[in-house]
């Protein structure tokens, strides 16, 4: 039984994305080629690695075992690239970073652009995920670093403070539903019309869960990708929204902002890793830039 590095990387991407199509795209392979590689792996093993479902694929028990070893191999390759990069002029290294919505906004404003300019041979895979998924991915080795809310259960990971994230309610200046208010709880605004982030978006899912805990639901008139689009539609009167306070502050000229008073609306975001000392040199440089 022999699997090459292309096979292992492909399987890792397919398993993490839950889709052969998406995994093939990320691996730079045609769908037919990717499918043939996975089928060949299963034939050599003599057991199925993936369970095909209506909405994608999930690893079988054998696939979970392979996934564990594929991650270990990938981590070793990244560590090798990191250790050798200091000696090889043209060798590049890649750091895998996961962050929730609020952290992503902060990272893309200043921190990551400055880091990439300062370190031209270090590439970054940045993916936005809910905090609980970030904790799981870092613990399993699927990501080198993560930035997540402490409520997600990070006690098994090493942590460093990154940001205190506060959520705010935004509305058009002439929005009639919130007269004279400066603060509001989620219960106060459940009857309003909302502009929401795309389905599956980490922040939107978090807000939806909080509404469900109150026994209610959000009336979302439209879902759009990105906080800038949310703020733009809110400013034009399409509805209200809940966004990170920093995003509300950047749009203060066109919007009014109310402090969200619920306990869950203030979150400590921490940078986390399995062990900071075990990171590649490049991941250590990024971690230092983030804190």
């Amino acid at each position: 039984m022999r699997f090459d590095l292309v096979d292992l990387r492909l399987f890792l991407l397919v398993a993490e994305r839950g889709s052969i199509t998406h995994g093939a795209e990320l691996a730079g392979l045609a769908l037919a080629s990717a499918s043939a590689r996975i089928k060949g792996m299963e034939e050599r093993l003599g057991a199925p690695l993936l369970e095909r479902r209506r909405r994608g694929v999930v690893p079988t028990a054998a696939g979970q075992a392979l996934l564990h070893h594929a991650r270990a191999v990938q981590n070793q390759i990244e560590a090798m690239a990191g250790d050798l990069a200091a000696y090889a002029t043209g060798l590049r290294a890649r750091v895998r970073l996961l962050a929730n919505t609020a952290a992503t906004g902060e990272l893309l404003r200043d921190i990551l652009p400055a880091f990439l300019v300062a370190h031209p041979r270090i590439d970054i895979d940045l993916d936005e995920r809910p905090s609980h998924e970030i904790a799981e991915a870092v613990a399993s080795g699927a990501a080198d670093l993560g930035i997540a809310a402490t409520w997600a259960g990070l006690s098994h990971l090493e942590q460093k403070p990154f940001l205190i994230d506060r959520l705010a309610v935004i509305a058009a200046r002439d929005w009639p539903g919130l007269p004279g208010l400066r603060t509001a709880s989620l219960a106060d605004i459940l009857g309003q019309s909302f502009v929401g982030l795309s389905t599956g978006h980490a922040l939107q899912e978090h807000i939806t869960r909080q509404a469900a805990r109150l026994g209610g639901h959000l009336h979302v008139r439209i879902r759009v990708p990105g906080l800038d689009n949310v703020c733009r539609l809110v400013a034009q009167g399409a509805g209200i929204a809940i966004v990170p306070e920093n995003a509300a502050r950047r749009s203060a000229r066109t919007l009014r902002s109310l402090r969200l008073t619920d306990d869950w609306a203030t979150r400590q975001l921490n940078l986390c890793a399995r062990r900071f000392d075990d990171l590649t040199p490049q991941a250590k440089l990024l971690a230092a830039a983030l804190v």
Side-chain angles (χ1 to χ4, degrees):
M1 179 175 56
R2 295 170 57 189
F3 299 149
D4 62 28
L5 293 178
V6 176
D7 287 339
L8 293 178
R9 182 170 184 269
L10 171 64
F11 182 77
L12 185 62
L13 292 170
V14 168
E16 289 180 349
R17 297 293 174 170
S19 165
I20 296 176
T21 300
H22 291 165
E25 290 175 356
L26 292 170
L29 297 172
L31 178 59
S33 176
S35 297
R37 278 183 172 273
I38 291 175
K39 182 178 180 181
M41 293 171 70
E42 292 178 324
E43 289 176 349
R44 290 193 292 276
L45 178 63
L49 294 169
L50 296 171
E51 179 183 342
R52 279 72 171 175
R53 296 182 178 179
R54 290 180 58 189
R55 295 189 177 182
V57 296
V58 296
T60 62
Q64 288 287 357
L66 178 60
L67 182 60
H68 170 75
H69 291 288
R71 282 175 174 158
V73 171
Q74 183 69 23
N75 289 340
Q76 286 295 319
I77 292 172
E78 294 289 346
M80 178 184 69
D83 291 339
L84 294 178
Y87 306 101
T89 303
L91 193 61
R92 307 187 68 87
R94 182 173 297 275
V95 181
R96 296 160 297 172
L97 171 64
L98 301 183
N100 70 358
T101 303
T104 299
E106 288 299 305
L107 291 169
L108 294 177
R109 286 180 62 197
D110 300 305
I111 300 173
L112 291 188
F115 182 86
L116 291 168
V117 170
H119 303 281
R121 293 193 182 92
I122 301 177
D123 301 328
I124 298 173
D125 279 338
L126 173 64
D127 198 4
E128 188 173 305
R129 302 275 188 89
S131 288
H132 67 280
E133 291 187 12
I134 294 171
E136 293 170 2
V138 173
S140 69
D144 301 302
L145 295 166
I147 302 176
T150 54
W151 61 260
L154 308 179
S155 59
H156 57 303
L157 302 171
E158 291 189 356
Q159 304 172 57
K160 298 180 180 181
F162 176 73
L163 174 74
I164 294 178
D165 171 43
R166 296 181 176 87
L167 298 177
V169 182
I170 56 172
R173 292 194 175 277
D174 58 352
W175 183 259
L178 304 170
L181 296 179
R182 293 188 177 183
T183 64
S185 68
L186 181 59
D188 296 331
I189 60 175
L190 274 179
Q192 301 287 325
S193 297
F194 283 80
V195 175
L197 289 157
S198 303
T199 300
H201 194 284
L203 175 59
Q204 196 62 50
E205 293 299 315
H206 179 56
I207 297 168
T208 298
R209 285 195 298 271
Q210 299 303 327
R213 289 176 180 174
L214 295 174
H217 71 281
L218 304 180
H219 171 216
V220 180
R221 297 194 65 203
I222 183 171
R223 297 179 182 272
V224 294
L227 291 171
D228 289 343
N229 291 326
V230 170
C231 293
R232 189 174 299 114
L233 284 171
V234 169
Q236 294 172 354
I240 69 171
I242 297 175
V243 300
E245 194 175 62
N246 289 336
R249 191 178 296 117
R250 291 195 295 271
S251 301
R253 292 183 179 180
T254 57
L255 297 168
R256 52 182 295 228
S257 175
L258 292 72
R259 184 168 60 87
L260 193 61
T261 58
D262 300 85
D263 290 341
W264 54 266
T266 299
R267 305 176 293 174
Q268 172 67 47
L269 305 186
N270 282 356
L271 175 69
C272 57
R274 286 191 292 180
R275 275 182 50 83
F276 286 104
D277 286 345
D278 292 343
L279 293 172
T280 65
Q282 287 69 27
K284 288 178 180 177
L285 285 172
L286 179 57
L290 295 177
V291 296

